[in-house]
Amino acid sequence: MQKSVLVIGSEGQIGTELCDALGVQGNRVIRADIRLQTDEAKLHYQLDATDKEAIERIVEEHDIEVVYLMAAMLSATAEKHPQKAWELNMQSLLHVLDLAKEKKIKKLFWPSSIAIFGPDTPKKNTPQETVIHPSTVYGISKRAGEMWCAYYHSVFGVDVRSLRYPGIISYKTAPGGGTTDYAIEIFKSAKGQGRYTSFIEAQTITPMIYMSDAITATIALMEAPVESITVRTSYNLDGLAVSPQKLEEEIKRHLPDFKVDYATDYRQAIAASWPESINDELARSDWGYTIYTDFQRLVQEMLTHIE
Ligand code: AKB
């Protein structure tokens, strides 16, 4: 059945591809973003995600059932603008949680991140419940958001669902301000200049997934029957173990002259504070999380499509 869904942050890295996928599924997709959309064929609003009344107007005008709140300030930028990051990441979430509490929407998706984990979290096969002491502003906001989601679910019965996304690698829309962005820049440089300067150390591993797997997981979670959702903070999701060195080696199989130089900066400490691999048993057993794109295929796809 056709649903009206609102995607806030529709012009961002995940938002653009999520809107397309939701549209293909037959939903009526309303896009909202602080950035303007130039394609007039798309139903789009310019929206500040911290403006509750503006969100509410769109929800009422279009009889929105489901909201995907994808607007956020990511880890690297948030370290530069802590106050702004906190305001955007928290206010926007509390607004949509309140709309769900007031029964103006039925269901809500909100992304968390592996950034909720900190340097003292077990690095490998990180459990769903473990030591969670984030060391970044972004991580703190995501962990606080998870707790708000669990609170609104248990106290007000809000159907809010969430994933702890690993780094997401994609070619359609560039990410902005994340630490894992290097894993996209590297492909652009490989195809452009044949050389890349990495701000992350060669052997620092973080879990990452290809965009199509992130979108499939998001939609699977949102379509799962309510009784199968056992995690109301946010689900752990593992990814492929990616490092600059591994990317360099695999890209070289396609472009033998490619070379990576290293000039690390403050983002190295952020990446090093995150796990290398994640235990995602619950995501797999509750609603069937699967990674379809392996590392070799991901690299091949990125080199084929990135401009
Ligand atoms: C970032 O690098 O900030 C994001 C994330 C891991 O949540 N991609």
Side-chain angles (χ1 to χ4, degrees):
M1 213 181 70
Q2 194 190 48
K3 278 198 283 286
S4 290
V5 303
L6 171 63
V7 178
I8 301 175
S10 60
E11 308 313 296
Q13 185 201 8
I14 309 174
T16 45
E17 300 204 35
L18 180 63
C19 286
D20 290 345
L22 291 168
V24 167
Q25 284 204 316
N27 297 291
R28 189 164 167 268
V29 182
I30 289 82
R31 298 162 198 250
D33 200 291
I34 195 92
R35 287 158 282 199
L36 270 176
Q37 160 69 255
T38 44
D39 182 349
E40 286 178 9
K42 293 178 175 162
L43 193 45
H44 181 270
Y45 288 84
Q46 189 171 25
L47 174 80
D48 170 358
T50 62
D51 182 344
K52 186 178 181 206
E53 281 167 18
I55 302 174
E56 201 165 344
R57 275 197 298 276
I58 303 174
V59 164
E60 278 168 7
E61 190 179 334
H62 293 281
D63 230 348
I64 299 291
E65 285 180 50
V66 185
V67 172
Y68 293 79
L69 173 58
M70 310 309 287
M73 195 182 286
L74 298 185
S75 56
T77 313
E79 288 306 295
K80 305 263 184 214
H81 307 283
Q83 191 69 35
K84 265 190 160 172
W86 181 255
E87 271 163 31
L88 171 62
N89 296 359
M90 287 294 94
Q91 283 309 328
S92 56
L93 174 61
L94 288 169
H95 291 337
V96 286
L97 283 170
D98 277 336
L99 289 177
K101 172 186 155 191
E102 293 155 14
K103 309 265 182 268
K104 292 182 175 145
I105 56 172
K106 290 192 182 138
K107 216 192 269 185
L108 169 63
F109 176 81
W110 176 79
S112 183
S113 160
I114 55 163
I116 61 144
F117 299 117
D120 53 356
T121 299
K123 274 243 167 289
K124 293 198 166 80
N125 200 28
T126 304
Q128 175 73 37
E129 300 295 340
T130 182
V131 179
I132 299 182
H133 299 146
S135 57
T136 62
V137 173
Y138 173 68
I140 296 169
S141 74
K142 287 294 177 188
R143 180 55 176 164
E146 288 189 357
M147 299 311 293
W148 278 118
C149 290
Y151 179 83
Y152 270 71
H153 173 71
S154 73
V155 178
F156 306 117
V158 165
D159 190 359
V160 53
R161 305 180 183 196
S162 177
L163 300 175
R164 291 173 179 162
Y165 283 137
I168 298 178
I169 301 183
S170 68
Y171 60 85
K172 282 191 186 151
T173 310
T179 301
T180 57
D181 293 8
Y182 88 84
I184 296 173
E185 290 174 5
I186 196 168
F187 289 101
K188 281 193 175 218
S189 301
K191 273 183 80 174
Q193 304 83 47
R195 219 177 163 109
Y196 178 64
T197 304
S198 173
F199 54 81
I200 299 297
E201 269 170 19
Q203 282 161 24
T204 301
I205 294 175
T206 37
M208 308 227 192
I209 47 175
Y210 195 45
M211 179 63 85
S212 56
D213 287 334
I215 301 290
T216 304
T218 306
I219 292 177
L221 171 73
M222 290 302 275
E223 284 185 345
V226 72
E227 55 285 0
S228 64
I229 306 297
T230 63
V231 176
R232 289 295 183 167
T233 47
S234 187
Y235 277 96
N236 266 10
L237 287 194
D238 197 18
L240 311 164
V242 173
S243 68
Q245 187 177 33
K246 284 177 104 175
L247 282 169
E248 180 180 11
E249 282 164 11
E250 188 59 26
I251 292 172
K252 270 193 166 137
R253 295 204 314 117
H254 302 262
L255 303 168
D257 294 334
F258 179 54
K259 169 116 186 48
V260 179
D261 305 302
Y262 290 89
T264 57
D265 63 20
Y266 71 102
R267 290 170 284 188
Q268 170 58 29
I270 301 179
S273 77
W274 295 344
E276 293 185 358
S277 64
I278 309 267
N279 183 313
D280 58 14
E281 264 163 43
L282 283 172
R284 289 175 190 274
S285 58
D286 284 2
W287 46 271
Y289 176 53
T290 310
I291 295 179
Y292 296 97
T293 313
D294 65 22
F295 187 61
Q296 282 74 24
R297 167 110 179 275
L298 179 150
V299 170
Q300 192 167 22
E301 293 272 317
M302 287 298 288
L303 287 174
T304 307
H305 296 291
I306 202 156
E307 283 169 7

